[in-house]
Amino acid sequence: MHLQNYFAAGETTPCAGRNEWLSSRAADKQTAIRLCGDCPAKAACRDFAQTNNESFGIWGGHDFSKGKP
């Protein structure tokens, strides 16, 4: 729920409007992971992905196509 609250407050994240987070290209994934580094929603994003059994994309700085962190 914390991630939803973050967006409800009108906050933006480094991933907003970018495609690297859903790319299968290694270079895009590395860019996404690097940009997640300072995101204030990083922990909430990772928790959201774990709770919702995401199996694709970069969530909270982790590549979920490689399994859960």
Side-chain angles (χ1 to χ4, degrees):
M1 189 60 123
H2 182 263
L3 186 59
Q4 292 172 340
N5 292 338
Y6 183 83
F7 291 114
E11 299 293 333
T12 58
T13 60
C15 58
R18 298 186 66 147
N19 295 322
E20 291 90 347
W21 277 260
L22 298 176
S23 175
S24 59
R25 292 183 53 222
D28 288 343
K29 289 180 178 186
Q30 289 304 314
T31 297
I33 290 168
R34 180 178 50 80
L35 292 173
C36 284
D38 293 329
C39 181
K42 184 177 178 178
C45 181
R46 183 178 290 179
D47 291 346
F48 174 86
Q50 288 177 317
T51 299
N52 291 285
N53 296 315
E54 290 292 342
S55 61
F56 185 77
I58 306 300
W59 293 87
H62 180 78
D63 185 354
F64 272 71
S65 63
K66 294 181 178 181
K68 293 183 180 183

